[in-house]
Amino acid sequence: MMGEEPGRWLQSKYRLPNIVFLKIKYSELNVSKKESPPLRERRSLVCKMKKFNFRKVLDGLTASSPGSSSSSGSNSGGGAGSGSVHPAGTAGVLREEIQETLTSEYFQICKTVRHGFPHQPTALAFDPVQKILAIGTRTGAIRILGRPGVDCYCQHESGAAVLQLQFLINEGALVSASSDDTLHLWNLRQKKPAILHSLKFNRERITYCHLPFQSKWLYVGTERGNTHIVNIESFILSGYVIMWNKAIELSTKTHPGPVVHLSDSPRDEGKLLIGYENGTVVFWDLKSKRAELRVYYDEAIHSIDWHHEGKQFMCSHSDGSLTLWNLKSPSRPFQTTIPHGKSQKEGRKSESCKPILKVEYKTCKNSEPFIIFSGGLSYDKACRRPSLTIMHGKAITVLEMDHPIVEFLTLCETPYPNEFQEPYAVVVLLEKDLIVVDLTQSNFPIFENPYPMDIHESPVTCTAYFADCPPDLILVLYSIGVKHKKQGYSNKEWPISGGAWNLGAQTYPEIIITGHADGSIKFWDASAITLQMLYKLKTSKVFEKQKLGEGKQTYEIVEEDPFAIQMIYWCPESRIFCVSGVSAYVIIYRFSRYEITTEIVSLEVRLQYDVEDIITPEPETSPPFPDLSAQLPSSRSLSGSTNTVASEGVTKDSIPCLNVKTRPVRMPPGYQAELVIQLVWVDGEPPQQITSLAVSSAYGIVAFGNCNGLAVVDFIQKTVLLSMGTIDLYRSSDLYQRQPRSPRKNKQFIAGLTELSDSPVPLELERCKSPTSENRENSYNRSRSSSISSIDKDSKEAITALYFMESFARKNDSTISPCLFVGTSLGMVLIISLNLPLADEQRFTEPIVVLPSGTFLSLKGAVLTFSCMDRTGGLMQPPYEVWRDPNNIDENEKSWRRKVVMNSSSASQEIGDHQYTIICSEKQAKVFSLPSQTCLYVHNITETSFILQANVVVMCNSACLACFCANGHIMIMSLPSLRPMLDVNYLPLTDMRIARTFCFTNEGQALYLVSPTEIQRLTYSQEMCDNLQDMLGDLFTPIETPEAQNRGFLKGLFGGSGQTFDREELFGEASAGKASRSLAQHIPGPGSIEGMKGAAGGVMGELTRARIALDERGQRLGELEEKTAGMMTSAEAFSKHAHELMLKYKDKKWYQF
């Protein structure tokens, strides 16, 4: 190995950036004192294998022109530099042949759409004319929903919780009140809503808002009991204030509490009903500025609603009672009921119940009114679920909900409060669901929700994203999934049908797959930025149900969610589907359109990390890799019955975590289990969780690994081909002394997957854990010292990446062959050769030979992904088997042969390299040319952070490497040169949920689970960012406001003076004066200038606005100049005609006229 002096000599003589090659090789192979013996031995082994002639390096440096070698730097993730390695002339020829077409102009990061249920909802609003729904959340987000395809997400910059939402009905605007005591006005007349104005209250806290229909004055109630009025157009506070001490009687000694309700009278808009928390209700006359009447009740008030005639109103109280008040007799309630209270003897008050949090009182023209409320159940029914009660006449219906009720709204036919309301549906916002109840049918069925609100039906544990997949897959999956849909929904159309949406230019099919904690798999149609569930698969059906008292062999490993999905592998072309679960199992599925009843085949695999003494084999007597004849019988002996039970008191051994069903199982059309593979207990230790998974439909092989070793299984012949510890994979070439490894831990306790941890645990430890961890494990992880962590990391070398490909297994091979690339947590890459039978008929009978090739490559950090390119720069897809239905009787009767598509062309006879292999680890990416195994390019992506997710994707018919770093950077690099195309600090890693669900796919698409209930999709394509506005739906569509019903002469005469009430005259500055500046601060919003094209904010935005203003001024001046010229011409003509007329009659006498 060369020292530093030759490096300095080369640098001083040639001054070329390629000298980074020498630096990388030396620093990478230098052994630290703290490295574990296995890592040090592999480093030295790689060093021995990578000897090269120094003169050839100099020849390569001098032969290459400056244009053919590049060096680039990157500060992403810690400022690590990067460089191009060009050690051989042949590699240089290969590199010059590839013309990379991707440039940085092709890339830009932007969010596209968010799917799922809004996380932690707090508020609800509905526009009865536009028919759009708004949901506010605790994190300051607002989701606006219309017809399918109309789904908009917007966010308050402050992140304060949304307290209340109010639509400006049919005006294309929305008012939001947040917990930081700020009002915001949102403009919905654009596809991306923006804030027009904000009003920040400084001295009072907002508790309730009310905006009357077709009014521009917003009533705002505060915690102090005062009521303020805001002009919606200017968003300026009026000087008109209703102080709490003037609203209540002077004799009252206590404060009435915060304002909990505000509404104007349906009969008279000049009267305002104010409800206070302590049970006081004030009917305020806005003109005379005094209380017309006051109502007092012993129990606290939660909500109030008017009868449409404006003569009665109903209150809900904290004791579970409803009180109906008449304005003519305000001294006591007209009617008091406790709907769910037990009836008592005469003269005794009914038993108190839980508070009724909200009530709505809606009238019908041809039937009894609807009284709908939430809460109010009896205290003795503590186990009952949250409920919504519907009282219609004498009938009382209680609808039990799966989750607590946050808010509900009754949808009515008219927006006018003084008409019969005619309710037709109730929107119920739950903590984790949104349902709509049909009120027009007596059994009150719910509507089928067209939005993907059930992504979190069981917590999401992993995701997969496939863009530009075969177009027939969506129809096939939908046709199977529609047969299993729930029945009993309302036969009416979904009532939230506002907005407009058209299919954009993006028409390629996209599918998202989500794995869940209960073992279910969901396939979603994600085409054209929508999301619709296609098909649901329940993987837990292949296992026996865990009976109580049956033992704890499963729960010693997984305390809950033993069927949770950990990894997903799908081949869309062959329709082979494979999953791995948290209980150390792998299930392979085949797709069929026919129902079958069959037994489930299962295998058991024993993966053990042997505890050994010091091994010092002699190089000349070192045994070769064990012969296959000796390996296969021992492997087959591991595949026994799944129902092996250890006797009591004996150490558990060779027992799987779950029991596979042994009886014949009916499998409906769709994905049907082909094979179940389970890892078993070894000497009292539970099996370690699976960390990598790969399937080849062309070879009929599945490979998976964990921190103990690697297993390769033939799922056609149902046999185990390889079951070997990671150390044993090196045995054929590992000739150096090995020290004993660190002591093993006694047991591995792993928490469930319901919650996702955000603790800063090392990645190697995370890989051996469940995709999620509960908080009770976080304290243990945080308390561990760095020394203990380093021992755990180095004690076992986990298999972190697997990849099947037609490639060159050994150095200087002349032809390609089936290979399995294996990446480990220590940055080592091993290539395993797969010798398959040549004839297709022999594939079902002849054994497959699986042998490590002795080829080793190395990188910094755990290996994440592999990919291959041909010599022209095209991305090579692994071979696959063409799908056929395994249960089609007609096809089985015919002579049938497996149809395998080999995407990689066979190597030509000319001398040289024919393939690129791209390998990306947590720290760096490398490109090797095969079969010479020359490292062409290396890019050190990060030094201080690490890569969480890396994928080789296709965009604009060219391949690139997409990476997501733990420090929040998204980086794109061209291939094969690894030139940085994009580096954006997009999203800091706030919890492990994002790390485990982030995935890239083709055509510039990506997604991650932004919250436990929502999927955020984004794009890194400049073209899609430019076309995003065309793909989004319109929230506002021009609709005429329905006309009010004719009130009739008598109602107009005696129905109150609301029609003549002028709020502008009463609340305007001329009469009410200005409000105190210290009370509230007006903040202009960015949305007020969003209509200006090119105004991007900052100095450029100011210049753009100034230019637009000047252009408008110049245009107006030009128009004014034209008008002035026209007036001058007219004046001259008039003067001329007047002069002629004067001359004509100048000398005439008066009698001559």
Short mmCIF file of all heavy atoms in Angstrom, two decimals, residues 877-925:
data_model
loop_
_atom_site.label_atom_id
_atom_site.label_comp_id
_atom_site.label_asym_id
_atom_site.label_seq_id
_atom_site.Cartn_x
_atom_site.Cartn_y
_atom_site.Cartn_z
N GLN A 877 -32.99 -3.99 -16.32
CA GLN A 877 -33.98 -4.54 -15.41
C GLN A 877 -33.71 -6.02 -15.18
O GLN A 877 -33.32 -6.73 -16.10
CB GLN A 877 -35.39 -4.36 -15.97
CG GLN A 877 -35.78 -2.91 -16.20
CD GLN A 877 -35.85 -2.12 -14.91
OE1 GLN A 877 -36.05 -2.70 -13.83
NE2 GLN A 877 -35.68 -0.82 -15.00
N PRO A 878 -33.88 -6.51 -13.97
CA PRO A 878 -33.68 -7.95 -13.72
C PRO A 878 -34.64 -8.77 -14.56
O PRO A 878 -35.74 -8.33 -14.89
CB PRO A 878 -33.99 -8.10 -12.23
CG PRO A 878 -33.81 -6.73 -11.66
CD PRO A 878 -34.20 -5.78 -12.73
N PRO A 879 -34.24 -9.97 -14.94
CA PRO A 879 -35.15 -10.82 -15.72
C PRO A 879 -36.38 -11.19 -14.90
O PRO A 879 -36.35 -11.22 -13.67
CB PRO A 879 -34.29 -12.05 -16.05
CG PRO A 879 -33.22 -12.06 -15.01
CD PRO A 879 -32.96 -10.62 -14.67
N TYR A 880 -37.47 -11.49 -15.59
CA TYR A 880 -38.70 -11.85 -14.89
C TYR A 880 -39.47 -12.88 -15.70
O TYR A 880 -39.29 -13.02 -16.91
CB TYR A 880 -39.57 -10.62 -14.63
CG TYR A 880 -40.07 -9.93 -15.88
CD1 TYR A 880 -41.27 -10.31 -16.50
CD2 TYR A 880 -39.35 -8.89 -16.46
CE1 TYR A 880 -41.72 -9.68 -17.64
CE2 TYR A 880 -39.79 -8.26 -17.60
CZ TYR A 880 -40.98 -8.65 -18.19
OH TYR A 880 -41.42 -8.02 -19.32
N GLU A 881 -40.33 -13.58 -15.02
CA GLU A 881 -41.20 -14.57 -15.65
C GLU A 881 -42.52 -13.91 -16.03
O GLU A 881 -43.10 -13.17 -15.23
CB GLU A 881 -41.45 -15.73 -14.69
CG GLU A 881 -42.39 -16.79 -15.25
CD GLU A 881 -42.79 -17.82 -14.21
OE1 GLU A 881 -42.38 -17.67 -13.04
OE2 GLU A 881 -43.53 -18.76 -14.57
N VAL A 882 -42.98 -14.15 -17.23
CA VAL A 882 -44.25 -13.61 -17.67
C VAL A 882 -45.38 -14.28 -16.89
O VAL A 882 -45.38 -15.50 -16.71
CB VAL A 882 -44.44 -13.83 -19.18
CG1 VAL A 882 -45.82 -13.32 -19.64
CG2 VAL A 882 -43.35 -13.12 -19.96
N TRP A 883 -46.32 -13.47 -16.42
CA TRP A 883 -47.37 -14.00 -15.57
C TRP A 883 -48.30 -14.92 -16.33
O TRP A 883 -48.67 -14.67 -17.48
CB TRP A 883 -48.19 -12.86 -14.97
CG TRP A 883 -49.36 -13.36 -14.16
CD1 TRP A 883 -49.34 -13.87 -12.91
CD2 TRP A 883 -50.73 -13.43 -14.59
NE1 TRP A 883 -50.60 -14.25 -12.50
CE2 TRP A 883 -51.47 -13.99 -13.52
CE3 TRP A 883 -51.38 -13.09 -15.77
CZ2 TRP A 883 -52.84 -14.21 -13.60
CZ3 TRP A 883 -52.75 -13.30 -15.86
CH2 TRP A 883 -53.48 -13.86 -14.78
N ARG A 884 -48.66 -16.00 -15.69
CA ARG A 884 -49.74 -16.87 -16.15
C ARG A 884 -50.51 -17.30 -14.92
O ARG A 884 -49.97 -17.39 -13.81
CB ARG A 884 -49.21 -18.10 -16.89
CG ARG A 884 -48.32 -18.97 -16.03
CD ARG A 884 -47.91 -20.25 -16.75
NE ARG A 884 -49.02 -21.15 -16.90
CZ ARG A 884 -49.41 -22.04 -15.96
NH1 ARG A 884 -48.76 -22.09 -14.81
NH2 ARG A 884 -50.42 -22.85 -16.17
N ASP A 885 -51.77 -17.56 -15.11
CA ASP A 885 -52.61 -17.94 -13.98
C ASP A 885 -52.29 -19.38 -13.58
O ASP A 885 -52.49 -20.31 -14.37
CB ASP A 885 -54.09 -17.81 -14.34
CG ASP A 885 -54.99 -17.75 -13.11
OD1 ASP A 885 -54.69 -18.49 -12.15
OD2 ASP A 885 -55.95 -16.96 -13.11
N PRO A 886 -51.80 -19.60 -12.37
CA PRO A 886 -51.44 -20.97 -11.98
C PRO A 886 -52.63 -21.90 -11.83
O PRO A 886 -52.46 -23.12 -11.80
CB PRO A 886 -50.72 -20.77 -10.64
CG PRO A 886 -51.26 -19.49 -10.10
CD PRO A 886 -51.54 -18.63 -11.29
N ASN A 887 -53.84 -21.33 -11.73
CA ASN A 887 -55.02 -22.17 -11.52
C ASN A 887 -55.94 -22.23 -12.73
O ASN A 887 -57.09 -22.67 -12.61
CB ASN A 887 -55.82 -21.65 -10.31
CG ASN A 887 -54.97 -21.60 -9.06
OD1 ASN A 887 -54.17 -22.50 -8.81
ND2 ASN A 887 -55.14 -20.55 -8.28
N ASN A 888 -55.45 -21.80 -13.88
CA ASN A 888 -56.25 -21.84 -15.09
C ASN A 888 -56.22 -23.24 -15.66
O ASN A 888 -55.17 -23.74 -16.07
CB ASN A 888 -55.70 -20.83 -16.12
CG ASN A 888 -56.66 -20.63 -17.28
OD1 ASN A 888 -57.47 -21.50 -17.59
ND2 ASN A 888 -56.55 -19.48 -17.92
N ILE A 889 -57.36 -23.92 -15.65
CA ILE A 889 -57.42 -25.32 -16.07
C ILE A 889 -57.09 -25.44 -17.55
O ILE A 889 -56.38 -26.37 -17.98
CB ILE A 889 -58.82 -25.90 -15.79
CG1 ILE A 889 -59.11 -25.82 -14.28
CG2 ILE A 889 -58.92 -27.34 -16.27
CD1 ILE A 889 -60.49 -26.27 -13.90
N ASP A 890 -57.56 -24.52 -18.37
CA ASP A 890 -57.31 -24.60 -19.81
C ASP A 890 -55.82 -24.53 -20.11
O ASP A 890 -55.31 -25.24 -20.96
CB ASP A 890 -58.05 -23.48 -20.53
CG ASP A 890 -59.57 -23.61 -20.36
OD1 ASP A 890 -60.02 -24.75 -20.14
OD2 ASP A 890 -60.26 -22.59 -20.44
N GLU A 891 -55.10 -23.63 -19.41
CA GLU A 891 -53.67 -23.50 -19.66
C GLU A 891 -52.90 -24.70 -19.13
O GLU A 891 -51.91 -25.13 -19.73
CB GLU A 891 -53.14 -22.21 -19.02
CG GLU A 891 -53.61 -20.95 -19.71
CD GLU A 891 -52.93 -19.72 -19.13
OE1 GLU A 891 -52.01 -19.89 -18.32
OE2 GLU A 891 -53.33 -18.61 -19.51
N ASN A 892 -53.33 -25.28 -18.03
CA ASN A 892 -52.61 -26.41 -17.46
C ASN A 892 -52.74 -27.66 -18.32
O ASN A 892 -51.85 -28.52 -18.32
CB ASN A 892 -53.11 -26.71 -16.04
CG ASN A 892 -52.69 -25.63 -15.06
OD1 ASN A 892 -51.69 -24.97 -15.26
ND2 ASN A 892 -53.47 -25.46 -13.98
N GLU A 893 -53.86 -27.79 -19.04
CA GLU A 893 -54.03 -28.95 -19.89
C GLU A 893 -53.10 -28.90 -21.10
O GLU A 893 -52.72 -29.92 -21.64
CB GLU A 893 -55.49 -29.05 -20.35
CG GLU A 893 -56.44 -29.43 -19.20
CD GLU A 893 -57.88 -29.49 -19.66
OE1 GLU A 893 -58.14 -29.06 -20.81
OE2 GLU A 893 -58.74 -29.95 -18.88
N LYS A 894 -52.74 -27.73 -21.53
CA LYS A 894 -51.86 -27.59 -22.67
C LYS A 894 -50.42 -27.78 -22.25
O LYS A 894 -50.07 -27.70 -21.08
CB LYS A 894 -52.04 -26.20 -23.31
CG LYS A 894 -53.47 -25.91 -23.76
CD LYS A 894 -53.57 -24.49 -24.28
CE LYS A 894 -55.00 -24.16 -24.67
NZ LYS A 894 -55.14 -22.75 -25.12
N SER A 895 -49.59 -28.05 -23.21
CA SER A 895 -48.15 -28.11 -22.90
C SER A 895 -47.68 -26.70 -22.61
O SER A 895 -47.79 -25.81 -23.45
CB SER A 895 -47.40 -28.71 -24.09
OG SER A 895 -47.60 -27.92 -25.25
N TRP A 896 -47.15 -26.52 -21.43
CA TRP A 896 -46.82 -25.16 -20.98
C TRP A 896 -45.36 -25.07 -20.59
O TRP A 896 -44.80 -25.99 -19.99
CB TRP A 896 -47.70 -24.78 -19.80
CG TRP A 896 -47.29 -23.51 -19.15
CD1 TRP A 896 -47.58 -22.26 -19.55
CD2 TRP A 896 -46.49 -23.37 -17.99
NE1 TRP A 896 -47.02 -21.34 -18.72
CE2 TRP A 896 -46.34 -22.00 -17.74
CE3 TRP A 896 -45.89 -24.29 -17.12
CZ2 TRP A 896 -45.61 -21.52 -16.68
CZ3 TRP A 896 -45.17 -23.81 -16.06
CH2 TRP A 896 -45.04 -22.43 -15.85
N ARG A 897 -44.74 -23.98 -20.94
CA ARG A 897 -43.36 -23.71 -20.56
C ARG A 897 -43.29 -22.33 -19.94
O ARG A 897 -44.03 -21.43 -20.33
CB ARG A 897 -42.43 -23.79 -21.77
CG ARG A 897 -42.39 -25.15 -22.43
CD ARG A 897 -41.39 -25.16 -23.56
NE ARG A 897 -40.04 -24.87 -23.09
CZ ARG A 897 -38.97 -24.75 -23.89
NH1 ARG A 897 -39.11 -24.89 -25.20
NH2 ARG A 897 -37.78 -24.48 -23.39
N ARG A 898 -42.39 -22.18 -18.97
CA ARG A 898 -42.19 -20.89 -18.33
C ARG A 898 -41.63 -19.90 -19.35
O ARG A 898 -40.66 -20.19 -20.05
CB ARG A 898 -41.23 -21.00 -17.14
CG ARG A 898 -41.75 -21.88 -16.04
CD ARG A 898 -40.72 -22.05 -14.95
NE ARG A 898 -40.52 -20.83 -14.19
CZ ARG A 898 -39.36 -20.21 -14.05
NH1 ARG A 898 -38.28 -20.69 -14.65
NH2 ARG A 898 -39.25 -19.12 -13.33
N LYS A 899 -42.24 -18.72 -19.40
CA LYS A 899 -41.76 -17.67 -20.30
C LYS A 899 -40.98 -16.66 -19.48
O LYS A 899 -41.54 -15.96 -18.64
CB LYS A 899 -42.93 -16.99 -20.99
CG LYS A 899 -43.74 -17.93 -21.89
CD LYS A 899 -44.91 -17.19 -22.53
CE LYS A 899 -45.75 -18.14 -23.37
NZ LYS A 899 -46.92 -17.43 -23.99
N VAL A 900 -39.69 -16.61 -19.71
CA VAL A 900 -38.82 -15.72 -18.95
C VAL A 900 -38.29 -14.65 -19.89
O VAL A 900 -37.80 -14.95 -20.98
CB VAL A 900 -37.65 -16.51 -18.32
CG1 VAL A 900 -36.70 -15.55 -17.61
CG2 VAL A 900 -38.18 -17.56 -17.35
N VAL A 901 -38.41 -13.41 -19.47
CA VAL A 901 -37.91 -12.27 -20.24
C VAL A 901 -36.56 -11.89 -19.68
O VAL A 901 -36.44 -11.53 -18.50
CB VAL A 901 -38.88 -11.08 -20.18
CG1 VAL A 901 -38.31 -9.87 -20.91
CG2 VAL A 901 -40.23 -11.47 -20.76
N MET A 902 -35.53 -11.97 -20.52
CA MET A 902 -34.17 -11.60 -20.11
C MET A 902 -33.89 -10.21 -20.64
O MET A 902 -33.64 -10.01 -21.83
CB MET A 902 -33.16 -12.60 -20.65
CG MET A 902 -33.50 -14.05 -20.35
SD MET A 902 -33.52 -14.43 -18.58
CE MET A 902 -31.78 -14.32 -18.22
N ASN A 903 -33.93 -9.22 -19.77
CA ASN A 903 -33.72 -7.84 -20.20
C ASN A 903 -32.26 -7.53 -20.50
O ASN A 903 -31.95 -6.58 -21.20
CB ASN A 903 -34.23 -6.88 -19.13
CG ASN A 903 -35.73 -6.93 -18.99
OD1 ASN A 903 -36.44 -6.98 -19.99
ND2 ASN A 903 -36.23 -6.95 -17.77
N SER A 904 -31.36 -8.30 -19.94
CA SER A 904 -29.93 -8.03 -20.14
C SER A 904 -29.44 -8.84 -21.32
O SER A 904 -29.63 -10.05 -21.39
CB SER A 904 -29.15 -8.41 -18.88
OG SER A 904 -29.40 -9.75 -18.54
N SER A 905 -28.81 -8.16 -22.25
CA SER A 905 -28.28 -8.84 -23.42
C SER A 905 -26.99 -9.56 -23.06
O SER A 905 -26.23 -9.11 -22.20
CB SER A 905 -28.03 -7.84 -24.55
OG SER A 905 -27.14 -6.84 -24.11
N SER A 906 -26.73 -10.68 -23.70
CA SER A 906 -25.52 -11.44 -23.41
C SER A 906 -24.30 -10.66 -23.85
O SER A 906 -24.33 -9.85 -24.78
CB SER A 906 -25.58 -12.79 -24.12
OG SER A 906 -25.68 -12.59 -25.51
N ALA A 907 -23.20 -10.93 -23.20
CA ALA A 907 -21.96 -10.19 -23.48
C ALA A 907 -21.42 -10.56 -24.85
O ALA A 907 -21.48 -11.70 -25.29
CB ALA A 907 -20.92 -10.50 -22.41
N SER A 908 -20.90 -9.57 -25.53
CA SER A 908 -20.30 -9.81 -26.84
C SER A 908 -18.90 -10.39 -26.67
O SER A 908 -18.36 -10.49 -25.58
CB SER A 908 -20.25 -8.50 -27.63
OG SER A 908 -19.49 -7.56 -26.91
N GLN A 909 -18.30 -10.77 -27.77
CA GLN A 909 -17.01 -11.44 -27.73
C GLN A 909 -15.84 -10.47 -27.64
O GLN A 909 -14.72 -10.88 -27.43
CB GLN A 909 -16.86 -12.31 -29.00
CG GLN A 909 -17.92 -13.40 -29.09
CD GLN A 909 -17.84 -14.38 -27.94
OE1 GLN A 909 -16.76 -14.74 -27.50
NE2 GLN A 909 -19.00 -14.79 -27.43
N GLU A 910 -16.09 -9.19 -27.83
CA GLU A 910 -14.98 -8.26 -27.80
C GLU A 910 -14.45 -8.09 -26.38
O GLU A 910 -15.14 -8.31 -25.41
CB GLU A 910 -15.42 -6.90 -28.36
CG GLU A 910 -16.52 -6.26 -27.54
CD GLU A 910 -17.01 -4.97 -28.14
OE1 GLU A 910 -17.81 -5.04 -29.09
OE2 GLU A 910 -16.58 -3.92 -27.66
N ILE A 911 -13.19 -7.69 -26.29
CA ILE A 911 -12.55 -7.56 -24.99
C ILE A 911 -12.95 -6.23 -24.37
O ILE A 911 -12.99 -5.21 -25.03
CB ILE A 911 -11.02 -7.64 -25.15
CG1 ILE A 911 -10.63 -8.99 -25.76
CG2 ILE A 911 -10.33 -7.43 -23.82
CD1 ILE A 911 -9.17 -9.12 -26.05
N GLY A 912 -13.22 -6.25 -23.07
CA GLY A 912 -13.56 -5.02 -22.37
C GLY A 912 -14.71 -5.24 -21.41
O GLY A 912 -15.24 -6.34 -21.28
N ASP A 913 -15.09 -4.14 -20.71
CA ASP A 913 -16.18 -4.22 -19.74
C ASP A 913 -17.52 -3.98 -20.43
O ASP A 913 -17.60 -3.25 -21.42
CB ASP A 913 -15.98 -3.18 -18.64
CG ASP A 913 -14.82 -3.56 -17.73
OD1 ASP A 913 -14.37 -4.70 -17.83
OD2 ASP A 913 -14.38 -2.71 -16.94
N HIS A 914 -18.55 -4.61 -19.89
CA HIS A 914 -19.85 -4.58 -20.57
C HIS A 914 -20.98 -4.15 -19.64
O HIS A 914 -22.12 -4.12 -20.07
CB HIS A 914 -20.17 -5.98 -21.13
CG HIS A 914 -19.10 -6.53 -21.99
ND1 HIS A 914 -18.89 -6.13 -23.28
CD2 HIS A 914 -18.14 -7.45 -21.72
CE1 HIS A 914 -17.87 -6.79 -23.80
NE2 HIS A 914 -17.39 -7.60 -22.87
N GLN A 915 -20.69 -3.86 -18.41
CA GLN A 915 -21.77 -3.60 -17.46
C GLN A 915 -21.28 -2.67 -16.37
O GLN A 915 -20.13 -2.75 -15.93
CB GLN A 915 -22.24 -4.93 -16.86
CG GLN A 915 -23.55 -4.85 -16.12
CD GLN A 915 -23.95 -6.21 -15.56
OE1 GLN A 915 -23.51 -6.60 -14.50
NE2 GLN A 915 -24.77 -6.92 -16.32
N TYR A 916 -22.18 -1.76 -15.95
CA TYR A 916 -21.94 -0.94 -14.77
C TYR A 916 -22.75 -1.52 -13.61
O TYR A 916 -23.89 -1.91 -13.78
CB TYR A 916 -22.39 0.51 -14.97
CG TYR A 916 -21.59 1.30 -15.97
CD1 TYR A 916 -22.09 1.56 -17.24
CD2 TYR A 916 -20.35 1.80 -15.64
CE1 TYR A 916 -21.38 2.30 -18.14
CE2 TYR A 916 -19.62 2.54 -16.54
CZ TYR A 916 -20.13 2.79 -17.80
OH TYR A 916 -19.41 3.52 -18.69
N THR A 917 -22.18 -1.52 -12.43
CA THR A 917 -22.91 -1.86 -11.21
C THR A 917 -22.90 -0.66 -10.28
O THR A 917 -21.82 -0.15 -9.93
CB THR A 917 -22.29 -3.08 -10.51
OG1 THR A 917 -22.42 -4.21 -11.36
CG2 THR A 917 -23.01 -3.36 -9.20
N ILE A 918 -24.07 -0.18 -9.94
CA ILE A 918 -24.20 0.97 -9.04
C ILE A 918 -24.52 0.44 -7.64
O ILE A 918 -25.48 -0.33 -7.46
CB ILE A 918 -25.31 1.93 -9.51
CG1 ILE A 918 -25.00 2.45 -10.92
CG2 ILE A 918 -25.49 3.08 -8.55
CD1 ILE A 918 -25.78 1.78 -12.01
N ILE A 919 -23.73 0.84 -6.68
CA ILE A 919 -23.93 0.43 -5.30
C ILE A 919 -23.94 1.68 -4.43
O ILE A 919 -23.05 2.52 -4.53
CB ILE A 919 -22.81 -0.53 -4.81
CG1 ILE A 919 -22.63 -1.69 -5.79
CG2 ILE A 919 -23.13 -1.06 -3.42
CD1 ILE A 919 -21.46 -2.58 -5.47
N CYS A 920 -24.96 1.79 -3.60
CA CYS A 920 -25.07 2.95 -2.71
C CYS A 920 -25.18 2.45 -1.28
O CYS A 920 -25.95 1.53 -0.99
CB CYS A 920 -26.29 3.80 -3.07
SG CYS A 920 -26.44 5.32 -2.09
N SER A 921 -24.42 3.07 -0.41
CA SER A 921 -24.45 2.74 1.01
C SER A 921 -24.94 3.95 1.79
O SER A 921 -25.34 4.96 1.22
CB SER A 921 -23.06 2.32 1.49
OG SER A 921 -22.20 3.44 1.55
N GLU A 922 -24.85 3.86 3.10
CA GLU A 922 -25.28 4.97 3.95
C GLU A 922 -24.36 6.18 3.83
O GLU A 922 -24.76 7.28 4.23
CB GLU A 922 -25.29 4.53 5.41
CG GLU A 922 -26.34 3.49 5.72
CD GLU A 922 -26.22 3.01 7.14
OE1 GLU A 922 -25.13 3.08 7.73
OE2 GLU A 922 -27.24 2.53 7.66
N LYS A 923 -23.18 6.01 3.31
CA LYS A 923 -22.21 7.09 3.27
C LYS A 923 -21.82 7.49 1.86
O LYS A 923 -21.55 8.67 1.62
CB LYS A 923 -20.95 6.70 4.05
CG LYS A 923 -21.17 6.49 5.54
CD LYS A 923 -21.44 7.82 6.23
CE LYS A 923 -21.52 7.66 7.74
NZ LYS A 923 -21.78 8.94 8.43
N GLN A 924 -21.77 6.57 0.96
CA GLN A 924 -21.23 6.88 -0.37
C GLN A 924 -21.87 6.02 -1.44
O GLN A 924 -22.56 5.04 -1.13
CB GLN A 924 -19.71 6.70 -0.39
CG GLN A 924 -19.27 5.28 -0.17
CD GLN A 924 -17.76 5.12 -0.22
OE1 GLN A 924 -17.26 4.00 -0.20
NE2 GLN A 924 -17.01 6.19 -0.27
N ALA A 925 -21.64 6.41 -2.67
CA ALA A 925 -22.10 5.65 -3.83
C ALA A 925 -20.88 5.35 -4.70
O ALA A 925 -19.98 6.20 -4.85
CB ALA A 925 -23.14 6.43 -4.62
#
